[in-house]
Amino acid sequence: SHAAELYLKCALLKRGTTPDELKRFDVRHNLKGLLDWLIGYGVPISPQTRELLGVLSEQHRAHDLRYTVFVDDGIPTFTPQPSELYEMLDELLMAGRIATHGI
């Protein structure tokens, strides 16, 4: 999820978003917020990637994947299949290419 955050921020920076804007509290570690922002630039993102980021977003924002994933706190941690993660990350990497879809 951290790699997804960095790829989303890269794609936003390439489209003129400033580093200070990316530090705003409402999007700082918010995968869904960053994704929505990127889509707002007209960047096409597949339904699969949108769904996966939506599911991961709250866990990522709360740092659950860093700190509580190894502690049985009674709350299940969502862990996608590696193949789903690789597809998502590949798509986000390509979104960081300014020439992607001419956007």
Side-chain angles (χ1 to χ4, degrees):
S1 65
H2 192 227
E5 178 185 349
L6 296 176
Y7 284 151
L8 286 163
K9 288 180 175 179
C10 170
L12 288 164
L13 287 168
K14 294 268 184 109
R15 286 162 178 85
T17 303
T18 67
D20 285 340
E21 289 175 308
L22 293 177
K23 293 176 186 174
R24 290 187 347 224
F25 183 75
D26 61 327
V27 293
R28 190 174 194 149
H29 297 296
N30 182 344
L31 299 178
K32 177 84 171 77
L34 292 167
L35 175 64
D36 290 344
W37 196 349
L38 184 60
I39 290 170
Y41 279 112
V43 178
I45 302 294
S46 71
Q48 296 87 349
T49 292
R50 290 178 188 212
E51 182 178 341
L52 187 51
L53 286 172
V55 174
L56 289 172
S57 188
E58 182 55 30
Q59 290 182 151
H60 182 73
R61 188 201 57 76
H63 302 291
D64 289 344
L65 299 171
R66 292 185 191 178
Y67 305 116
T68 61
V69 70
F70 299 112
V71 177
D72 184 3
D73 58 0
I75 300 171
T77 301
F78 172 71
T79 52
Q81 293 296 317
S83 61
E84 294 172 343
L85 286 172
Y86 295 142
E87 286 180 31
M88 175 193 71
L89 292 174
D90 188 47
E91 181 176 0
L92 295 177
L93 173 66
M94 296 307 289
R97 295 181 59 180
I98 197 66
T100 300
H101 304 287
I103 300 169

